[in-house]
Amino acid sequence: MNNTTPLMKQYWSIKNQHPDQVLFFRMGDFYELFFDDAKIAAKELGLTLTARGHGASGDVPLAGFPYHALDGYLTRMIKSGYKVAICEQVEDPKKAKTIVKREVTDIVTAGTILSGDLLDSKQNNFLSAVYFEGAQCGLAKVDLSTGEFSVIEFPQNEAEDYLLNVNPAEVLVSSDQADFLKKMVRKLDNFVVSKRDEWLFERSFAYETITRHFNTTSLKGFGCEDLRPGLSAAGVILHYLQENKKAELGHIRQLRREYPEQHMVLDPATLRNLEVLSTLMGDQKEGSLISILDRTVTPMGGRLMRRWIQYPLRAVREINARLDAVEELVEDKSVRSKLIASMKSVDDLERLNSKICARRCNARDFIGLRNSLRNIPELLEYLGNLECALIQKLKSDLRAMDSQVELIERAITEDPPLSISDGGMIREKYDGRLDEYRELAYSGKKWIAGHQALEREKTGIPSLKVGYNKIFGYYIEATKSHLSKIPASYIRKQTLVNAERYITPELKEYEEKILHAEEKMAELEYELFEEIRIKIVAESSTIQKNAQLIAQLDVLCSLAEVAESENYAKPFVDDQHRIEIEDGRHPVVEVTLPVGQEFIPNDTYIDNENHQILVITGPNMAGKSTFIRQVGLITLM
């Protein structure tokens, strides 16, 4: 490749470092793909495959798309099972002495997406890692878009249930355990599986990776000091993110340890047969339990609702705390309605926070953050009318963020552009230097009018004009009938049919000031944007915590809405081994019955002493399966 063009030399130096990824190579306003990557893009993305000559390389296969269409094309490529390396121009082309410097700034895989069409607003996008050691299995998972990071250990024969329950977008596994994992998880083909070197799973390396990320000397504060395969899995996830994501990972602030005894793990067969998250027919959300219970109004509330349903609590005290909160929200419809109305204005705080921390945001994300944080004082006011312990704890932990709201309000224009490099983001009077540059850049018309009047007076040419075009910049134009009056200081630049155009040192000096002001204006806006981002990142842990608390409030209000509208009763839950249901109804079937038909309630009693088994009889379509599923769903609810 020594005889290729400088651009192709640069391309191959980068592509050779990323042989397993499709390379999106930024060239001006386009991302271009070359050689085999271009052929893949033409097939998967429907792009036109062309060719371009590049020195000794000859005609190089080429495909491309505009830079502003990145999200759409990236989504389609990831959905097709590919990994993508995004190579950006990391140098201002105007300042480049030779070829513009380029670097891979992000590697995107199914499990490392921060934003875009691949993310379901009401569902997590998990990257998981699995590691086996002895009879134990460690499973770690992270949602890069929200910062949620957790780890759990369990018997290895339960690996399939746990992994299918998490339903990750991508699974990391040690190369030497890949075949074993395939035996343990029969539906492993449902996921993108990425093999990692064995040494990355060594506990000592994982321990160092995790403590370095969290800047701690031990993992005792996370309750993870004694973990073994779980720690290996968690360490591999962090290493994978650090290797692939050039952005900062500051929004991943804690490693939460989960314990098998805290929650029930609903195996895939149970989730499917009870139609908890989707229906048996068509795999649709509509007609499932979650479609009945989920009336959340925020994206993070929707994700939390899904987790609560998938991982039912086992501790009676925590279950009753939730039930008490739902009961009070049912009884106080006025407060509940106000809370819901306020939360409707809250954006996806978790994912906004992650984008800001990872430097993947624009000024519109700041506006979304401001609009969301504005609602917290109102939520706190409404919560003051409620008394149950869970909601009072929620209220005491929720933090108003007036200074961040005020900062964004003062600094960012109401309707900023999508790009953060073209200016137009920062308000007037936020920064004096920026205002001076703007005054200089935007005062051109006034200066031209004044300069034109001055030159007319000096030369005695009443028709003299001062104009501007992109080729010559600023110029003075005079008709040929006045050529005898042209001063010697004028420099002829262009001859027209009936006129001559000139430049002067004064005009060129002013032009330089204007161009310099516009360039400095864009640079300063970007600097100010970054300063604002850093100030927001300093409070990102509070934003993240607020997002989690609002999500919890959203789910509680959603359950209260359903309880009232469907006339549900508050259950009595204790540690005794019995199920006693009076006038039970199937929560899904009753709302899908044709108009005019009513569900016939029925009773259930089961205990572990005298009533361990129920014999259910009846003809086909009599409701035997409905009754069995009904008991399961009511118990889950």
Side-chain angles (χ1 to χ4, degrees), residues 611-622:
H611 300 84
Q612 295 184 13
I613 299 173
L614 297 181
V615 178
I616 305 168
T617 62
N620 290 340
M621 304 300 291

Side-chain angles (χ1 to χ4, degrees), residues 84-99:
V84 177
I86 300 175
C87 180
E88 297 286 3
Q89 296 177 172
V90 294
E91 180 184 25
D92 186 342
K94 297 175 184 176
K95 298 179 180 179
K97 295 180 180 178
T98 55
I99 192 167

Side-chain angles (χ1 to χ4, degrees), residues 439-448 451 466 468 474 504-517:
E439 177 64 26
L440 186 58
Y442 299 151
S443 63
K445 288 184 179 180
K446 183 178 178 182
W447 187 89
I448 287 172
H451 191 66
V466 176
Y468 175 85
Y474 286 100
T504 65
E506 189 177 5
L507 266 182
K508 288 292 110 181
E509 183 182 346
Y510 179 75
E511 182 180 311
E512 192 65 32
K513 282 183 181 179
I514 294 294
L515 296 177
H516 178 75

Side-chain angles (χ1 to χ4, degrees), residues 291-306:
S291 72
I292 303 299
L293 299 184
D294 186 6
R295 298 190 188 181
T296 54
V297 294
T298 69
M300 56 268 190
R303 292 191 293 269
L304 183 61
M305 173 69 82
R306 190 180 183 92

Side-chain angles (χ1 to χ4, degrees), residues 8-191:
M8 282 293 100
K9 287 181 181 179
Q10 183 189 57
Y11 170 83
W12 279 113
S13 72
I14 295 170
K15 177 61 183 176
N16 288 336
Q17 297 174 43
H18 302 277
D20 300 326
Q21 291 118 33
V22 174
L23 185 63
F24 285 5
F25 193 77
R26 182 72 178 266
M27 292 184 64
D29 290 337
F30 286 82
Y31 285 102
E32 298 199 356
L33 300 93
F34 301 101
F35 301 100
D36 288 344
D37 286 353
K39 295 174 183 177
I40 291 170
K43 177 185 174 184
E44 301 293 345
L45 305 179
L47 300 176
T48 301
L49 184 65
T50 61
R52 181 188 296 163
H54 280 282
S57 297
D59 286 341
V60 173
L62 167 71
F65 57 86
Y67 78 97
H68 55 75
L70 174 63
D71 274 359
Y73 285 113
L74 180 61
T75 295
R76 290 167 64 183
M77 192 63 80
I78 298 299
K79 278 185 176 177
S80 298
Y82 293 93
K83 299 179 180 181
V84 177
I86 300 175
C87 180
E88 297 286 3
Q89 296 177 172
V90 294
E91 180 184 25
D92 186 342
K94 297 175 184 176
K95 298 179 180 179
K97 295 180 180 178
T98 55
I99 192 167
V100 177
K101 291 180 182 177
R102 293 179 173 88
E103 292 177 4
V104 170
T105 58
D106 197 4
I107 298 173
V108 184
T109 68
T112 62
I113 300 163
L114 260 175
S115 60
D117 297 337
L118 270 179
L119 292 178
D120 184 330
S121 65
K122 289 201 169 187
Q123 191 168 337
N124 286 100
N125 189 74
F126 284 122
L127 167 69
S128 290
V130 179
Y131 191 65
F132 298 96
E133 187 175 298
Q136 288 291 101
C137 177
L139 171 66
K141 67 179 186 290
V142 67
D143 184 339
L144 187 64
S145 71
T146 67
E148 179 183 340
F149 187 26
S150 63
V151 62
I152 191 170
E153 290 184 344
F154 46 82
Q156 68 175 21
N157 62 353
E158 297 178 18
E160 182 173 62
D161 288 349
Y162 272 93
L163 194 59
L164 293 179
N165 195 277
V166 171
N167 191 30
E170 184 177 3
V171 182
L172 307 180
V173 61
S174 176
S175 298
D176 65 328
Q177 294 188 357
D179 291 339
F180 182 70
L181 179 63
K182 197 166 186 177
K183 291 178 183 177
M184 297 298 293
V185 182
R186 290 162 293 176
K187 295 184 178 180
L188 196 61
D189 291 340
N190 291 357
F191 313 122

